[in-house]
């Protein structure tokens, strides 16, 4: 069985970050989200992987490579335009051949993996069916593909982001298909959002009398397509961080709880509160970082406070904060007159530069707030 990983979308809900990078490369706990997916696929015993790429093809190839480091063989399949998930299957038609395959959306995070699902599919394949989808109960079904189950547990109906959902069972971005899906993706036309929806293709299978089975996801699942979902998935990753301090922690600094500090990082007169990860060659000086914060390689945080945030490579915070619930793109810079009392929530694209006006109830001469070590 092959696996098809989809990473060709535009990531419109994560702009401006996705103007310059693929959303599947945004790191959770400092590891690109797509790597969790590829590792889960390999752990499920599938090593022949096709990755459908769009505009960010080069960077995805750079980060993921030929798959050898994961024990996989990766083939890149170019989707010139982001015309939908069913369109991606059309693009991969020749590469997929006439085998069953697993389809995995590259921005989905499922820490408990998919090995059980794939094993069950392999064991029960003959009793099957033409497709098998994974489902999860969600609070807001209007944001997802939704499935309605028949009394016998098969899928009776599927709808993409319905305004009036008939169920709260969302389609998780993991699908198992027999070659019957190729006929379906060839048959569907564009949806209201102008895309060829895989949901419509599965509905087409149902309408043609094929059997589609659904099973519930066990454990945590997150589609990391929005800032809030990314931050939540990052928190879930950080919950599992084990304490490991390889960087330098200078005198007058405190590292509290489950914190991973990579080699080459340096913590000076600061407090890092877990769960948190601090990447290689990061400088944290006169600052408070965490909890629930990922700081990627090469960031520089001075005289600042940051928590519940995701900082991508090379971000600089200088006299800023408290920065909270923020997603800061690569090499973004945030400067301010010193931490105030009002939390700042920022979503910044690559190389953005923001000068915060600061908290006008405080002056830079005021004594530092509790928990903040101040610049010195
Ligand atoms: C896609 C699918 C949707 C599914 C979701 C899961 O939505 O179209 O059916 O529920 O992935 O991650 P998208 O994130 O492309 O809007």
């Amino acid at each position: 069985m092959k696996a098809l990983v989809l990473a060709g979308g535009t990531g419109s809900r994560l702009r401006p970050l996705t103007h310059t990078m693929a959303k599947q490369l945004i790191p959770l706990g400092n590891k690109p989200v797509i790597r969790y997916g590829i590792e889960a696929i390999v752990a499920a015993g599938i090593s022949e992987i096709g990755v459908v790429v769009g505009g960010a093809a080069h960077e995805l190839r750079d980060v993921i490579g030929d798959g050898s480091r994961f024990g996989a063989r990766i083939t890149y399949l170019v989707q010139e335009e982001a015309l939908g998930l069913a369109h991606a299957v059309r693009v991969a038609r020749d590469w997929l051949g006439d085998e069953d395959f697993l389809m995995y959306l590259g921005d989905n995070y499922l820490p408990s993996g998919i090995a059980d699902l794939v094993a069950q599919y392999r064991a029960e394949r003959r009793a099957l069916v033409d497709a098998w989808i994974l489902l999860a109960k969600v609070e807001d079904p209007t944001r997802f593909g939704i499935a309605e189950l028949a009394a016998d547990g098969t899928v009776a109906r599927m709808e993409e982001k319905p305004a009036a959902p008939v169920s709260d069972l969302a389609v998780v971005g993991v699908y198992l298909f027999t070659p019957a899906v190729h006929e379906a993706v060839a048959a569907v036309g564009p949806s209201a959002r102008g895309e060829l929806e895989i949901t419509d293709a599965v509905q087409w299978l149902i309408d043609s009398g094929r059997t589609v089975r659904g099973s519930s996801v066990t454990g945590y699942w997150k589609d990391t397509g929005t800032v809030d979902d990314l931050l939540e998935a990052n928190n879930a990753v950080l919950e599992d961080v084990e304490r490991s301090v390889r960087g330098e922690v200078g005198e007058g600094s405190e590292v509290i709880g489950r914190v991973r500090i990579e080699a080459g990082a340096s913590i000076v007169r600061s407090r890092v509160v877990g769960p948190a990860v601090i990447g290689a060659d990061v400088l944290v000086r006169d600052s408070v970082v965490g909890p629930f914060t990922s700081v990627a390689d090469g960031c520089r945080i001075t005289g600042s406070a940051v928590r519940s945030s995701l900082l991508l490579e090379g971000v600089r915070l200088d006299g800023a904060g408290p920065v909270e619930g923020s997603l800061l793109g690569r090499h973004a810079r945030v400067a301010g007159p010193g931490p105030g009392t009002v939390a700042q929530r920022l979503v910044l694209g690559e190389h953005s530069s923001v000068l915060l006006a600061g908290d006008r109830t405080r002056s830079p001469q005021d004594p530092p707030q509790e928990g903040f070590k101040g610049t010195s």
Side-chain angles (χ1 to χ4, degrees):
M1 194 195 286
K2 290 178 173 176
L4 190 65
V5 176
L6 305 197
T10 53
S12 56
R13 284 163 294 181
L14 283 171
R15 287 177 190 148
L17 264 90
T18 44
H19 283 311
T20 52
M21 77 185 290
K23 65 174 167 178
Q24 297 81 7
L25 291 178
I26 295 178
L28 302 177
N30 285 358
K31 177 159 100 175
V33 64
I34 196 171
R35 278 191 50 184
Y36 293 94
I38 291 175
E39 287 168 9
I41 290 166
V42 174
I46 303 174
S47 53
E48 191 72 34
I49 303 175
V51 180
V52 177
V53 291
H58 287 295
E59 205 185 355
L60 277 155
R61 280 177 213 253
D62 283 352
V63 174
I64 305 166
D66 63 3
S68 48
R69 90 180 77 143
F70 306 103
R73 200 163 73 190
I74 291 181
T75 303
Y76 292 91
L77 303 154
V78 179
Q79 185 182 21
E80 303 282 354
E81 266 186 282
L83 295 178
L85 306 182
H87 178 257
V89 177
R90 283 192 192 175
V91 166
R93 174 70 188 93
D94 290 345
W95 180 80
L96 287 165
D98 288 321
E99 286 178 45
D100 290 3
F101 67 98
L102 168 94
M103 185 167 105
Y104 193 107
L105 307 187
D107 63 349
N108 274 234
Y109 173 64
L110 292 101
S112 41
I114 50 168
D116 290 349
L117 173 77
V118 171
Q120 202 187 347
Y121 179 82
R122 285 187 156 132
E124 295 175 28
R125 164 77 176 86
R126 236 175 265 129
L128 194 75
V129 291
D130 297 281
W132 191 324
I133 57 172
L134 209 48
L135 302 167
K137 268 193 196 301
V138 288
E139 273 171 22
D140 183 4
T142 60
R143 291 177 47 205
F144 300 95
I146 293 300
E148 195 183 347
L149 296 182
D152 65 357
T154 59
V155 179
R157 199 150 78 91
M158 301 262 295
E159 211 182 336
E160 187 61 31
K161 303 189 179 69
V166 289
S167 94
D168 60 356
L169 283 179
V171 177
V172 169
V174 178
Y175 315 71
L176 287 151
F177 288 124
T178 62
V181 77
H182 296 301
E183 208 185 325
V185 298
V188 295
S191 63
R193 62 170 173 171
E195 294 191 4
L196 300 179
E197 308 287 352
I198 199 66
T199 319
D200 290 345
V202 178
Q203 181 63 47
W204 188 92
L205 288 173
I206 298 166
D207 292 342
S208 328
R210 316 284 184 122
T211 310
V212 177
R213 187 161 155 182
S215 58
S216 291
V217 70
T218 46
Y220 185 80
W221 160 65
K222 196 73 352 219
D223 164 338
T224 61
T226 65
V227 175
D228 285 342
D229 289 336
L230 259 176
L231 291 172
E232 196 200 300
N234 193 53
N235 288 351
V237 169
L238 293 178
E239 288 282 14
D240 291 333
V241 160
E242 284 180 16
R243 187 176 169 97
S244 120
V245 178
R246 296 201 292 150
E248 293 283 312
V249 179
E251 249 179 65
S253 291
E254 258 183 301
V255 174
I256 302 160
R258 287 173 295 111
V259 177
R260 191 176 74 228
I261 300 179
E262 304 291 359
S266 164
I267 314 296
V268 183
R269 296 186 300 272
S270 296
R271 204 140 69 99
V272 182
V273 186
V277 294
I278 306 286
D281 304 319
V282 167
L283 171 67
V284 178
R285 195 176 63 212
D286 302 314
S287 297
V288 183
V289 176
F292 292 105
T293 301
S294 284
V295 179
D297 295 354
C299 289
R300 202 183 143 93
I301 301 171
T302 54
S304 300
V306 56
R307 59 183 176 238
S308 302
S309 293
L310 230 170
L311 275 56
L312 274 62
E313 225 173 271
V315 165
R316 293 179 74 149
L317 297 184
D318 185 17
V323 170
E324 153 176 336
S326 295
L327 173 60
L328 307 182
R330 290 179 295 205
H331 307 286
R333 287 173 167 223
V334 182
T341 50
V342 180
Q344 310 282 346
R345 185 159 194 223
L346 303 163
V347 177
L348 299 181
E350 195 162 322
H351 289 289
S352 303
S353 182
V354 171
L355 178 61
L356 297 172
D359 174 0
R360 290 175 206 281
T361 63
R362 292 173 51 81
S363 97
Q365 281 75 44
D366 287 348
Q369 289 171 260
E370 202 188 333
F372 175 69
K373 293 188 179 256
T375 42
S376 53

